[in-house]
């Protein structure tokens, strides 16, 4: 069954014309919207989708933003000022606002017409967590507006996500520990992916490695690798290469093929190795970034332990004015 607050948002969406969707958030909350942007690009026939960092959304002020826009925002804390401001800005333009958050009593929730509280934490059922809620919402949008035939199967497949996570946790436990042991002293670690998986690489680079571990990083888009970044490659440079199951996998494979010739420290996480039973074949490309992200979180936990640098450590974030 659909999350009840997603259903409420879909009821509101179905009662008005929607020509475009803006996905608006910052940092990790933005990264978790990338798979949904990919889904909309692949599936939507009449609705254009775009993704913005909250403050840029306000300053860029897309000319198409208006009463036929749906603006989906996300802030885990509900407290990121630029995201709450973006909700107010979107409403001032007449757009319909739907916000995802872990904190329903927050500035973002107050500023938004519809609020979806997702579950969070190690015991949260995967179906109710942020990535899953995003897919429920955007596949629901395409169902109510375009009768997209994948909606019911998407919901059913998302109900199989927890089992996929549970299996992946066991399957990758040793690799996560090995990754931490061999990378704990690295000064820089790159991440690379494309398509539906790029956001996962982006979030691991900026949120886990830079923010939470103070390790230099950059998320390289596999399609951009040969247009600059590959010149940095040698046998000392660690790259986490994600391989997904979406239509852009050839880009990731091409990058890996090159890296294997000249690099040595390659950490490959391949969604082909996941047991995705219960998830429909044609939806595996959409679901695999969620499992890649889950697996990388195990890698992050092990890395933090091995480095004795808890993921909660910050020096500036929420501590000094910015
Ligand atoms: N890793 C994220 C950051 O990227 C983000 O800036 C911050 C605030 O985000 P939110 O608006 O989701 O509360 O939270 C997390 O620490």
């Amino acid at each position: 069954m659909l999350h009840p607050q997603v259903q409420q948002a879909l009821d509101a969406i179905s009662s008005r014309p929607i020509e475009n969707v803006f996905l608006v958030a910052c940092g990790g909350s933005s990264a978790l919207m990338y798979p949904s942007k990919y889904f909309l690009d692949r599936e939507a026939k009449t609705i254009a989708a775009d993704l913005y960092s909250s403050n840029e959304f306000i300053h860029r002020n897309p000319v198409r933003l208006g009463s036929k826009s749906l603006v989906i925002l996300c802030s885990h804390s509900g407290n990121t000022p630029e995201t709450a401001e973006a909700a107010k800005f979107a409403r001032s333009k007449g757009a319909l606002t739907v916000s995802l958050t872990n904190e329903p009593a927050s500035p973002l929730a107050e500023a938004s017409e519809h609020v979806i509280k997702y579950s969070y934490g190690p015991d949260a059922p995967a179906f109710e967590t942020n990535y899953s809620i995003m897919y429920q919402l955007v596949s629901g949008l395409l169902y109510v507006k375009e009768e997209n035939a994948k909606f019911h199967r998407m919901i059913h497949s998302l109900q199989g996500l927890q089992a996929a996570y549970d299996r992946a946790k066991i399957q990758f436990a040793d690799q996560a520990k090995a990754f931490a042991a061999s990378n704990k002293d690295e000064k820089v670690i790159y991440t690379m992916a494309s398509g539906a998986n790029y956001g996962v690489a982006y979030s691991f680079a900026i949120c886990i490695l830079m923010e939470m571990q103070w390790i230099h990083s950059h998320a390289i888009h596999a399609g951009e690798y040969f247009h600059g970044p590959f010149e940095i490659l040698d046998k000392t440079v660690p790259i986490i290469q994600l391989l997904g199951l979406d239509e852009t996998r050839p880009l990731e494979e091409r990058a890996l093929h090159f890296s294997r010739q000249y690099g040595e420290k390659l950490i490959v996480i391949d969604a082909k190795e996941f047991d995705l039973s219960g998830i429909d074949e044609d939806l595996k490309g959409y679901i695999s970034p969620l499992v890649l992200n889950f697996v990388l979180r195990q890698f992050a936990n092990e890395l933090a332990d091995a480095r004795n640098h808890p993921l909660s450590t910050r020096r500036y974030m929420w501590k000094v004015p910015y």
Side-chain angles (χ1 to χ4, degrees):
M1 205 190 77
L2 211 54
H3 187 295
Q5 290 172 328
V6 174
Q7 186 60 61
Q8 282 168 19
L10 291 177
D11 291 344
I13 288 167
S14 55
S15 68
R16 55 193 281 173
I18 300 291
E19 286 180 354
N20 45 51
V21 183
F22 296 95
L23 306 174
V24 178
C26 292
S29 288
S30 173
L32 68 87
M33 292 177 153
Y34 282 53
S36 289
K37 157 84 170 129
Y38 187 83
F39 178 85
L40 289 166
D41 286 347
R42 292 273 316 158
E43 301 285 339
K45 294 183 179 129
T46 62
I47 299 172
D50 227 322
L51 188 147
Y52 286 89
S53 186
S54 306
N55 216 4
E56 169 119 357
F57 175 67
I58 299 168
H59 287 267
R60 202 188 288 197
N61 186 9
V63 71
R64 285 179 287 109
L65 177 63
S67 61
K68 291 179 182 165
S69 303
L70 167 65
V71 180
I72 303 175
L73 305 106
C74 181
S75 170
H76 184 70
S77 60
N79 218 7
T80 296
E82 48 266 57
T83 308
E85 273 310 308
K88 288 181 202 157
F89 175 71
R91 282 183 81 173
S92 76
K93 299 278 180 174
L96 179 66
T97 49
V98 177
S99 289
L100 278 64
T101 182
N102 191 45
E103 288 297 337
S106 62
L108 176 64
E110 256 169 53
S112 312
E113 284 153 286
H114 296 274
V115 178
I116 303 172
K117 155 83 176 85
Y118 57 76
S119 300
Y120 178 75
D123 301 323
F127 184 74
E128 295 171 19
T129 55
N130 44 23
Y131 275 98
S132 163
I133 297 287
M134 278 301 299
Y135 270 153
Q136 292 179 45
L137 190 57
V138 297
S139 65
L141 163 73
L142 294 194
Y143 178 66
V144 299
K145 291 299 180 198
E146 301 182 355
E147 295 173 5
N148 184 288
K150 295 196 170 92
F151 171 61
H152 292 107
R153 293 189 299 102
M154 174 62 97
I155 299 304
H156 184 256
S157 293
L158 289 170
Q159 281 158 347
L161 190 58
Q162 185 65 53
Y165 282 179
D166 293 344
R167 291 187 295 258
K169 188 169 188 169
I170 297 166
Q171 185 186 353
F172 285 88
D174 290 346
Q175 281 179 54
K177 276 193 195 314
F179 163 77
S182 49
N183 289 280
K184 64 181 171 34
D185 298 319
E186 294 294 353
K187 300 283 177 260
V188 59
I189 303 175
Y190 296 104
T191 61
M192 185 151 41
S194 59
N197 316 299
Y198 179 72
V200 175
Y202 175 62
S203 130
F204 198 76
I206 73 153
C207 295
I208 301 294
L209 295 174
M210 297 173 85
E211 173 188 334
M212 302 184 194
Q213 290 297 299
W214 305 350
I215 295 176
H216 294 281
S217 189
H218 172 59
I220 304 168
H221 190 282
E224 294 293 293
Y225 187 42
F226 302 105
H227 306 283
F230 75 152
E231 284 291 339
I232 206 71
L233 179 68
D234 63 25
K235 292 185 191 317
T236 70
V237 174
I239 299 180
I240 301 175
Q241 178 67 58
L242 305 181
L243 294 173
L245 299 174
D246 65 38
E247 296 71 16
T248 73
R249 182 180 169 98
L251 280 67
E252 296 166 337
E253 286 177 337
R254 179 184 170 206
L256 179 60
H257 177 72
F258 182 87
S259 300
R260 279 193 165 136
Q261 293 174 65
Y262 301 99
E264 241 164 39
K265 294 188 174 173
L266 305 174
I267 303 108
V268 181
I269 308 180
D270 188 348
K272 266 192 186 159
E273 291 174 20
F274 298 161
D275 178 351
L276 297 178
S277 28
I279 292 163
D280 282 17
E281 202 53 42
D282 63 338
L283 300 181
K284 284 182 178 169
Y286 297 134
I287 302 285
S288 46
L290 283 56
V291 186
L292 285 166
N293 186 65
F294 176 84
V295 168
L296 274 175
R297 190 69 194 200
Q298 316 307 311
F299 280 46
N301 291 340
E302 294 293 350
L303 187 64
D305 282 356
R307 301 179 75 243
N308 198 19
H309 183 123
L311 295 172
S312 55
T313 311
R314 304 285 185 282
R315 49 187 157 189
Y316 312 122
M317 192 177 273
W318 308 306
K319 292 191 164 171
V320 301
Y322 54 95

